[in-house]
Amino acid sequence: MDLSVQIGSLRLENPLIAASGCFGYGVEYADIVDLASLGGIAVKGLFLAEREGHPPPRIVETPSGMLNAIGLQGIGVHRFIRERLPELRRRGATVIVNICGTTLDEYVEIARILSDAEGVHAIELNISCPNIKEGGITFGCSLPGTHGVVAAVRRVTRLPIVPKLTPNVTDVSSFARAAEEAGADAVSLVNTFLAMAIDIHTRRPKLANIVGGLSGPAIRPIAVRMVYECRRAVKIPIIGMGGIAASDDVLEFMIAGANAVQVGTINFVDPFIWARLKDGIRAYMQKHAIARLQDIVGTLDTNAREKAWLST
Amino acid sequence: MDLSVQIGSLRLENPLIAASGCFGYGVEYADIVDLASLGGIAVKGLFLAEREGHPPPRIVETPSGMLNAIGLQGIGVHRFIRERLPELRRRGATVIVNICGTTLDEYVEIARILSDAEGVHAIELNISCPNIKEGGITFGCSLPGTHGVVAAVRRVTRLPIVPKLTPNVTDVSSFARAAEEAGADAVSLVNTFLAMAIDIHTRRPKLANIVGGLSGPAIRPIAVRMVYECRRAVKIPIIGMGGIAASDDVLEFMIAGANAVQVGTINFVDPFIWARLKDGIRAYMQKHAIARLQDIVGTLDTNAREKAWLST
Amino acid sequence: MPVDIDAAVIANRRLSADYNVLSLAAPEIADAARPGQFVMIKTSAGQDPLLRRPFSIFEILRDRSGAASGISIFNKRVGVGTSLLTRVERGAQLAVLGPLGRPFEPIDPPAEAWMIAGGVGLAPFVTLAAALRARETPTSLFYGARRAEELYCVDLFEALGVRVVLATEDGSRGARGRVTVPLELALRDRPLGNPVKMYACGPTAMMRACARLAADHGRACDVSLEQVMGCGLGGCYSCVVLARSERGGEPHHTRTCIDGPVFDAQRVVWEAVSG
Amino acid sequence: MPVDIDAAVIANRRLSADYNVLSLAAPEIADAARPGQFVMIKTSAGQDPLLRRPFSIFEILRDRSGAASGISIFNKRVGVGTSLLTRVERGAQLAVLGPLGRPFEPIDPPAEAWMIAGGVGLAPFVTLAAALRARETPTSLFYGARRAEELYCVDLFEALGVRVVLATEDGSRGARGRVTVPLELALRDRPLGNPVKMYACGPTAMMRACARLAADHGRACDVSLEQVMGCGLGGCYSCVVLARSERGGEPHHTRTCIDGPVFDAQRVVWEAVSG
Ligand SMILES: Cc1cc2nc3c(=O)[nH]c(=O)nc-3n(C[C@H](O)[C@H](O)[C@H](O)COP(=O)(O)OP(=O)(O)OC[C@H]3O[C@@H](n4cnc5c(N)ncnc54)[C@H](O)[C@@H]3O)c2cc1C
Ligand SMILES: Cc1cc2nc3c(=O)[nH]c(=O)nc-3n(C[C@H](O)[C@H](O)[C@H](O)COP(=O)(O)OP(=O)(O)OC[C@H]3O[C@@H](n4cnc5c(N)ncnc54)[C@H](O)[C@@H]3O)c2cc1C
Ligand SMILES: Cc1cc2nc3c(=O)[nH]c(=O)nc-3n(C[C@H](O)[C@H](O)[C@H](O)COP(=O)(O)O)c2cc1C
Ligand SMILES: Cc1cc2nc3c(=O)[nH]c(=O)nc-3n(C[C@H](O)[C@H](O)[C@H](O)COP(=O)(O)O)c2cc1C
Ligand code: FES
Ligand code: FES
């Protein structure tokens, strides 16, 4: 069975990618997961410099989900290359570096640095982190901003570029289109939904940062819809995510239009899920006699439904 | 203890309103709930004419939520006034009629008809139903559209007007502002999030309508954040909703900025919840020595947190 | 008027890997229940799954004094909620809302009552059989499943004096094939002068076939429909089927939870019923 | 290397309305566990609640042969997940991930070990006491709670030869007031020449006080911090405290799940620790 996925010049063994911020720098999981067995690892978002992130509390659980306001704590791109990348390389991981910038120049600078680093396979442009004021999201919420940052990074790197889109917009597919036109190799979506939770007794936000990003199974139906809309808007590969908790969910995203997926929150609950996800996909392919997993991408059959609809 | 709420010229005994589409026309629940004990009842969305809605399946459960694509099946405003309103009046219900239009004129026409009907206390403008193509949402997703429909309805009725906002936009608070400027007495939010679910074995949408609206506890953290944003943008009352499942959730919405709330999906699970919600609110007021429930509206204390934030 | 009860699980009798009978202490519901009505059950204490699930009232349980003390449900495992109900243990509590829906109207003698059940569609017929027996209406049960092992609780009906006609698709017990095979033979043999009322519950295809047979043979037929239900009280409009009103006319999307689940088969627009 | 085990519940011993001891069959974890390590437990089979909850390994359970057969946890009810764990019954299965975190380093004689526990903070000290006993290190437990009824499992420590000093805020047992009262007296009386290593776990205020006392009296002190944890494996960065590295320097947000939960008290920037 062929589970492989092509993202621009990059070939993934399978469509299962660890979602950024949900798998540390990958090395944290090296003992319990064969990093090379994953389709890829999107490492925690990196700025040029180190960053302390937000004070705790940084997460709070919500129905079938969680809010996070980590604030992109990170060791910066230089330390990442020195201190983490070598082990990832040694373990044969396919590394997708999730990068953030407060300015366009910062994105460009980081991309340039990563392009010269051995063992980096793709760049995911995080223009969608909902819980830091500066940077990122300002690009992600404006079409020219998105087009601009993708085009600028495109000029300085041959690595596949995957802008990560925010769901906190009216029409996510227009952002996918802007990214495609600017030369992105793929788009990934969704990042988290801006949200909040309140302690009614202290009347204070449960997160130090007041607001945070909602992730987990709760958001999956919205994320699947957004992937479906993007599939109809762009030709480039789509990396879908949002609440994947089982192989059925992976397949749901792929049928909606995702070529690959990322798995985030559920990895916290079940760090050993990766093997089961792959087994589940294989069993499905067996059952439905599917030789190439990519053959199901975007194959949602809406005719039956549309007929039904018209019939009333 | 004073639980009352003022919405324009309308006084509600308490902030607990049955959400539109989740309580039929109210009369369905007359045997098990004292309709007069509710702050209000937002009846199922009505067009001018009768409407069959979408074919089944119309709902599907999702993690801590559900999708619905009922398609605004309804008996139309005339039959509503003839066949349902009299019983609601007899039972002393505070009736908020949720109205939909395919054109601006339809909204105006319905509002005019309702203004002359005895026993209608307010009009909720549904400009946010995500699962019908025509009308509604086209107004709700454009600022001029929202301003236009509110202003037009304002001209023909003295009844309190409550436009209901969609969460499927980048900046919901700008829509609240547009509604306020156009003369709305209050805004209600959120309607459901556009979403979908797929049967991976048939590769068909689980809903006949392909997409539907996500409701239930899953969306609460996003809805609370949106209410919080709107509170900082407008002076008029806010009716908050989205995933309320307990009195703590009611209080969370009010602390975030809601003057009243609507309760939808959870009423399907627990139609007897109303008394418990009220008891829970009373217990909280007791515990924290709050005489007027309205005193907690919009009292979220962010200083402690902002300090913490700045401190890093 | 439906009530919501935190019902203690009295017993959970496993019939097979996929079927079990769950007994619940719910006197008020048992007392008010009428044949073919249903309850909405919260299958977990938390919110996973969130919505209640609809189940026909299978048996009315009675204490020594003969007073109604509870109900049982005949549960088939198909997904999350029904799986939880296969595992639930004695002593656990489940929120049970009911009785709900429009009941069967038991027919009086000299007419005969013929109940047609497919698979889990057997569920609403024990209460109907009991009501028919009280009226001394001669009653038959046509009951079909895939194989012999999937025919359950036949004894319950025999104890109620019901004539039982079985069918299995693999012929391992009773007539070979669908239950509609013996049913059609019986309809053929039955002189029109001798009135029969049919009651059907099962897969859509079976009920559709029963509706057609009833029409062909000029017999009245009620069906009990199973649509996905969000609330069971008429609040959500999720459970509709396209059906004409009693007075006929254009078919409309009709709520099966309050206008049903029992419908005169001829009211239903079968082409539009899913499954 | 942590493993994830579907552990059967061997026993659920209720200590009070809010406290219980849950015994779990998890040989691999019991075998690998070191003093003060923790596990991440899925408190429900479904997704409500979604995330696992962290619990110190309370006891290492052994079979007749003395081989490690499982672990127990000392559970205090504070919310959804811990409530589920008070109710869980024998035979149920819980997913248990561990052992996790940096353990306590037991000190060797002639130094003495002083363990300071507040409320549920008692949890990590049974395993530490056992390790200290193996080293024959003289060990004391300073254990405080609000009232006598909230002092649990003291016998476990006495059986391990631990000298137990109790304190209750209402004076109903042991010294009146916070546990830091008798602790401070003991520190005063202790000649500097006689080395002592302090180990503290409990409410933040208590650990902060212990850190100050340790500094004032020039004693080493390890604390076991309890931050909200999303993953327990270093993946989410939710569990950080502001702490200096071993080599000192600027404090950074440090993950308590993999760089802790045990920290040298002097590394922690206590002003920044919530609660
Ligand atoms: C009035 C009424 C009476 C019923 N009586 C019984 C009964 O006595 N015994 C019994 O075992 N079942 C009965 N059912 C069916 C039962 O309600 C469903 O099987 C149950 O809701 C499925 O829940 P689940 O969580 O296990 O499945 P889910 O995980 O929710 O879904 C699994 C699969 O089951 C299908 N499904 C969901 N709801 C229904 C439904 N209402 N009918 C059929 N398929 C459904 C879904 O489409 C999906 O394909 C009745 C249904 C109705 C409407
Ligand atoms: C390393 C470590 C070891 C622990 N060992 C034990 C133990 O042995 N026994 C025990 O009973 N508890 C222990 N705890 C605390 C325990 O994990 C929390 O009490 C539990 O996660 C609360 O879950 P809940 O669903 O019951 O509460 P929730 O419903 O999630 O929250 C209820 C309240 O508890 C608070 N809370 C949530 N997480 C924590 C936390 N990690 N620490 C303190 N308060 C929290 C919340 O802020 C909220 O105010 C430990 C925590 C850590 C980090
Ligand atoms: C704790 C946490 C940290 C995250 N950090 C990042 C990040 O650094 N960069 C990023 O692009 N997305 C980040 N995300 C978003 C996830 O990558 C993913 O888009 C989102 O969680 C939805 O997927 P899920 O529902 O499977 O978790 C983070 C999510 C969580 C829960
Ligand atoms: C089955 C269903 C039908 C609904 N119909 C309407 C409607 O007719 N008009 C409307 O404005 N909102 C409608 N809604 C949206 C609800 O009023 C409410 O805004 C939404 O469900 C969020 O609240 P909840 O999470 O408490 O359900 C409907 C929701 C559901 C679940
Ligand atoms: S189930 Fe809600 S209206 Fe029928
Ligand atoms: S709990 Fe996830 S990093 Fe510590």
Side-chain angles (χ1 to χ4, degrees):
Chain A
M1 293 187 219
D2 176 7
L3 275 68
S4 68
V5 190
Q6 197 70 34
I7 306 284
S9 59
L10 173 64
R11 181 174 181 284
L12 309 180
E13 273 312 307
N14 64 67
L16 305 173
I17 302 168
S20 179
C22 303
F23 207 67
Y25 295 105
V27 295
E28 291 87 345
Y29 288 84
D31 288 347
I32 61 174
V33 180
D34 170 8
L35 301 185
S37 72
L38 303 186
I41 297 171
V43 298
K44 175 111 191 90
L46 290 169
F47 282 85
L48 198 52
E50 296 189 28
R51 212 184 138 85
E52 279 299 318
H54 298 319
R58 289 176 162 191
I59 66 167
V60 56
E61 183 163 341
T62 65
S64 297
M66 65 181 281
L67 307 184
N68 89 84
I70 307 302
L72 291 170
Q73 173 171 0
I75 58 176
V77 69
H78 296 293
R79 276 188 62 196
F80 170 74
I81 291 172
R82 271 202 320 276
E83 301 172 18
R84 302 287 190 276
L85 195 51
E87 177 171 1
L88 291 171
R89 210 164 47 222
R90 202 163 50 248
R91 294 187 181 263
T94 300
V95 178
I96 301 168
V97 181
N98 181 272
I99 71 172
C100 323
T102 54
T103 64
L104 192 124
D105 294 349
E106 186 170 7
Y107 281 100
V108 170
E109 176 64 10
I110 299 174
R112 204 184 268 109
I113 293 166
L114 289 171
S115 307
D116 304 335
E118 194 195 332
V120 173
H121 299 83
I123 294 175
E124 183 173 54
L125 295 176
N126 180 0
I127 51 175
S128 46
C129 178
N131 56 54
I132 62 167
K133 290 174 181 163
E134 70 282 356
I137 196 70
T138 52
F139 297 100
C141 283
S142 113
L143 289 170
T146 298
H147 189 286
V149 69
V150 174
V153 170
R154 177 78 292 169
R155 271 182 234 104
V156 300
T157 186
R158 282 224 194 68
L159 288 171
I161 307 175
V162 185
K164 184 167 178 177
L165 307 179
T166 177
N168 301 298
V169 293
T170 309
D171 175 18
V172 68
S173 66
S174 60
F175 288 83
R177 225 179 280 103
E180 182 176 46
E181 286 161 6
D185 298 278
V187 291
S188 62
L189 66 147
V190 298
N191 206 318
T192 54
F193 290 77
L194 191 61
M196 75 190 292
I198 296 170
D199 179 325
I200 62 169
H201 297 292
T202 62
R203 295 198 218 162
R204 289 186 179 171
K206 286 184 175 177
L207 295 171
N209 187 51
I210 302 171
V211 295
L214 178 63
S215 64
I219 67 172
R220 190 172 63 239
I222 314 178
V224 170
R225 182 265 301 178
M226 289 179 168
V227 165
Y228 174 66
E229 288 175 346
C230 288
R231 179 75 291 160
R232 303 198 298 180
V234 299
K235 300 249 164 308
I236 52 175
I238 294 171
I239 301 174
M241 77 195 85
I244 290 175
S247 54
D248 285 6
D249 306 333
V250 173
L251 295 159
E252 182 177 28
F253 270 96
M254 294 186 78
I255 293 165
N259 299 75
V261 299
Q262 289 185 20
V263 177
T265 300
I266 211 67
N267 176 67
F268 300 149
V269 181
D270 188 356
F272 292 92
I273 198 171
W274 303 98
R276 284 211 306 291
L277 291 178
K278 213 187 286 186
D279 294 345
I281 291 170
R282 288 224 179 82
Y284 177 87
M285 292 172 73
Q286 195 95 54
K287 177 176 179 187
H288 295 280
I290 294 160
R292 286 183 62 257
L293 186 54
Q294 288 296 303
D295 291 346
I296 73 167
V297 173
T299 58
L300 182 69
D301 167 16
T302 56
N303 299 346
R305 294 310 195 187
E306 306 216 314
K307 277 207 213 69
W309 188 353
L310 296 177
S311 79
T312 55
Chain B
M1 294 187 215
D2 176 7
L3 275 68
S4 68
V5 189
Q6 197 70 34
I7 307 281
S9 59
L10 174 63
R11 182 173 180 283
L12 308 179
E13 274 311 307
N14 64 66
L16 305 173
I17 303 168
S20 179
C22 303
F23 206 68
Y25 295 105
V27 296
E28 290 88 345
Y29 288 84
D31 289 346
I32 61 174
V33 179
D34 170 9
L35 300 185
S37 72
L38 303 186
I41 297 171
V43 298
K44 177 110 191 88
L46 291 168
F47 282 85
L48 198 51
E50 296 189 30
R51 207 183 143 86
E52 280 300 317
H54 298 318
R58 289 175 163 191
I59 65 167
V60 55
E61 183 163 342
T62 65
S64 296
M66 64 181 280
L67 306 184
N68 88 84
I70 307 302
L72 291 170
Q73 172 172 0
I75 59 177
V77 69
H78 296 292
R79 277 188 61 196
F80 170 74
I81 291 173
R82 273 202 320 275
E83 301 172 17
R84 301 287 189 276
L85 195 52
E87 177 171 1
L88 291 170
R89 211 165 48 223
R90 202 163 52 247
R91 295 189 181 262
T94 300
V95 178
I96 302 169
V97 181
N98 180 272
I99 69 172
C100 323
T102 54
T103 64
L104 193 126
D105 294 350
E106 186 170 8
Y107 281 101
V108 169
E109 176 63 12
I110 299 173
R112 203 185 268 110
I113 293 165
L114 289 171
S115 307
D116 304 335
E118 195 195 331
V120 175
H121 298 83
I123 293 174
E124 183 171 54
L125 296 176
N126 181 1
I127 52 175
S128 45
C129 179
N131 57 54
I132 61 166
K133 292 176 183 160
E134 69 282 355
I137 196 67
T138 53
F139 297 100
C141 282
S142 112
L143 289 169
T146 297
H147 189 286
V149 69
V150 174
V153 170
R154 177 77 294 169
R155 269 181 238 106
V156 300
T157 186
R158 281 224 196 66
L159 289 171
I161 308 175
V162 185
K164 183 166 181 177
L165 308 179
T166 177
N168 301 299
V169 293
T170 309
D171 175 17
V172 67
S173 66
S174 61
F175 288 85
R177 225 179 280 105
E180 182 176 46
E181 285 160 7
D185 296 279
V187 291
S188 62
L189 66 147
V190 299
N191 207 317
T192 53
F193 290 77
L194 191 61
M196 74 191 293
I198 297 170
D199 179 324
I200 61 168
H201 297 292
T202 62
R203 294 198 220 162
R204 290 185 180 173
K206 286 185 175 177
L207 294 171
N209 186 51
I210 302 171
V211 294
L214 178 64
S215 64
I219 67 171
R220 191 172 64 238
I222 315 178
V224 170
R225 182 265 301 179
M226 288 178 168
V227 165
Y228 174 66
E229 288 175 346
C230 289
R231 179 74 293 159
R232 304 198 296 179
V234 299
K235 301 246 162 314
I236 53 175
I238 294 171
I239 301 174
M241 76 196 85
I244 290 175
S247 55
D248 285 6
D249 306 333
V250 173
L251 295 159
E252 183 178 27
F253 269 97
M254 294 187 77
I255 293 166
N259 299 77
V261 299
Q262 289 186 20
V263 178
T265 300
I266 211 67
N267 176 67
F268 300 149
V269 182
D270 188 357
F272 292 93
I273 198 171
W274 303 97
R276 283 210 309 291
L277 291 178
K278 213 187 283 184
D279 294 344
I281 292 170
R282 288 226 177 81
Y284 176 87
M285 293 173 73
Q286 195 94 54
K287 177 176 179 189
H288 295 280
I290 295 160
R292 286 184 60 257
L293 185 55
Q294 287 297 302
D295 292 345
I296 72 167
V297 173
T299 58
L300 183 70
D301 167 14
T302 56
N303 299 346
R305 295 310 195 187
E306 306 218 315
K307 275 204 216 70
W309 189 353
L310 297 176
S311 78
T312 55
Chain C
M1 186 185 119
V3 293
D4 189 16
I5 294 175
D6 274 324
V9 174
I10 304 167
N12 180 355
R13 187 159 56 94
R14 161 141 306 183
L15 303 176
S16 67
D18 290 345
Y19 281 84
N20 66 304
V21 174
L22 206 60
S23 301
L24 301 160
E28 302 87 337
I29 294 175
D31 209 49
R34 289 167 58 195
Q37 284 193 300
F38 68 98
V39 292
M40 294 288 289
I41 298 184
K42 225 175 158 326
T43 58
S44 99
Q47 293 187 339
D48 179 13
L50 178 67
L51 298 174
R52 291 185 191 231
R53 303 294 193 251
F55 293 90
S56 298
I57 294 171
F58 184 52
E59 301 161 289
I60 303 295
L61 310 176
R62 304 187 173 280
D63 59 22
R64 275 156 218 67
S65 73
S69 59
I71 62 169
S72 73
I73 64 161
F74 181 61
N75 176 58
K76 179 187 180 183
R77 203 171 98 234
V78 302
V80 185
T82 48
S83 298
L84 288 170
L85 292 187
T86 56
R87 288 198 299 275
V88 62
E89 287 179 5
R90 201 165 175 300
Q93 299 236 327
L94 296 174
V96 181
L97 174 69
L100 301 167
R102 179 197 284 210
F104 284 120
E105 298 300 344
I107 186 114
D108 291 307
E112 276 192 22
W114 292 6
M115 307 185 295
I116 305 99
V120 70
L122 184 72
F125 288 128
V126 177
T127 53
L128 177 59
L132 289 162
R133 175 181 226 172
R135 288 177 156 65
E136 295 175 338
T137 305
T139 303
S140 304
L141 169 69
F142 296 80
Y143 178 22
R146 270 173 300 166
R147 39 189 133 60
E149 305 72 59
E150 295 182 7
L151 292 167
Y152 303 102
C153 304
V154 172
D155 53 331
L156 279 177
F157 290 88
E158 286 165 345
L160 287 164
V162 175
R163 182 174 135 266
V164 178
V165 180
L166 301 175
T168 52
E169 292 180 23
D170 67 358
S172 52
R173 188 171 173 197
R176 171 182 298 278
R178 298 282 170 78
V179 68
T180 42
V181 174
L183 172 66
E184 181 157 19
L185 292 176
L187 283 166
R188 283 233 195 77
D189 299 349
R190 181 92 180 160
L192 254 188
N194 309 8
V196 166
K197 170 85 178 277
M198 293 165 56
Y199 301 91
C201 184
T204 302
M206 184 204 91
M207 291 194 280
R208 192 183 284 121
C210 289
R212 208 200 55 254
L213 286 171
D216 295 351
H217 295 81
R219 304 296 188 178
C221 179
D222 282 357
V223 293
S224 180
L225 299 175
E226 295 192 357
Q227 298 298 102
V228 174
M229 291 185 173
C231 72
L233 289 167
C236 72
Y237 282 81
S238 67
C239 59
V240 298
V241 289
L242 210 52
R244 291 172 200 75
S245 81
E246 278 93 348
R247 301 175 302 294
E250 271 304 290
H252 294 293
H253 277 138
T254 308
R255 289 168 291 184
T256 57
C257 66
I258 55 175
D259 296 326
V262 175
F263 289 88
D264 176 334
Q266 308 314 328
R267 285 178 54 196
V268 177
V269 180
W270 289 101
E271 307 69 59
V273 181
S274 57
Chain D
M1 188 186 118
V3 294
D4 189 15
I5 295 176
D6 275 324
V9 174
I10 304 167
N12 180 355
R13 188 157 59 91
R14 158 136 315 177
L15 303 176
S16 67
D18 290 344
Y19 282 84
N20 65 304
V21 173
L22 207 60
S23 302
L24 302 159
E28 303 86 336
I29 293 174
D31 209 49
R34 288 166 58 196
Q37 285 192 299
F38 68 97
V39 291
M40 296 287 290
I41 297 183
K42 223 174 160 327
T43 59
S44 99
Q47 294 186 340
D48 180 11
L50 178 66
L51 298 175
R52 293 184 188 232
R53 303 295 193 251
F55 294 89
S56 298
I57 294 169
F58 185 50
E59 301 159 291
I60 303 295
L61 310 176
R62 304 189 173 280
D63 59 23
R64 276 156 216 66
S65 74
S69 60
I71 63 169
S72 73
I73 64 161
F74 181 61
N75 176 59
K76 179 187 181 184
R77 202 171 98 233
V78 302
V80 186
T82 49
S83 298
L84 289 170
L85 292 186
T86 57
R87 288 197 299 274
V88 62
E89 286 176 9
R90 199 163 175 301
Q93 300 236 328
L94 296 173
V96 181
L97 174 70
L100 301 167
R102 179 198 284 208
F104 285 120
E105 298 301 342
I107 187 118
D108 292 308
E112 276 193 19
W114 292 6
M115 308 183 295
I116 305 101
V120 70
L122 184 71
F125 289 128
V126 176
T127 52
L128 177 59
L132 289 162
R133 188 203 207 151
R135 288 176 157 65
E136 295 175 339
T137 305
T139 305
S140 304
L141 171 69
F142 295 81
Y143 178 23
R146 272 173 302 167
R147 34 188 139 60
E149 304 73 58
E150 295 182 7
L151 292 167
Y152 304 102
C153 304
V154 172
D155 51 334
L156 280 177
F157 290 89
E158 286 164 346
L160 287 165
V162 175
R163 182 174 136 267
V164 179
V165 179
L166 302 174
T168 53
E169 292 179 24
D170 68 356
S172 52
R173 188 171 173 197
R176 171 182 298 277
R178 300 284 169 78
V179 67
T180 43
V181 174
L183 173 66
E184 181 157 20
L185 294 175
L187 283 166
R188 283 233 196 76
D189 300 348
R190 181 94 180 159
L192 253 190
N194 309 10
V196 167
K197 170 85 180 277
M198 293 165 57
Y199 303 89
C201 184
T204 303
M206 185 205 90
M207 291 193 280
R208 194 185 282 120
C210 290
R212 209 198 55 252
L213 286 171
D216 296 350
H217 294 81
R219 305 295 189 178
C221 178
D222 283 357
V223 293
S224 181
L225 299 174
E226 293 191 358
Q227 298 298 102
V228 174
M229 292 184 171
C231 71
L233 289 168
C236 72
Y237 282 80
S238 68
C239 61
V240 298
V241 290
L242 210 52
R244 291 172 200 75
S245 81
E246 279 95 350
R247 301 175 304 293
E250 272 302 292
H252 294 293
H253 277 137
T254 308
R255 288 169 290 185
T256 57
C257 64
I258 55 174
D259 297 326
V262 174
F263 289 88
D264 175 336
Q266 308 315 327
R267 284 178 55 195
V268 178
V269 180
W270 288 100
E271 308 68 62
V273 181
S274 61

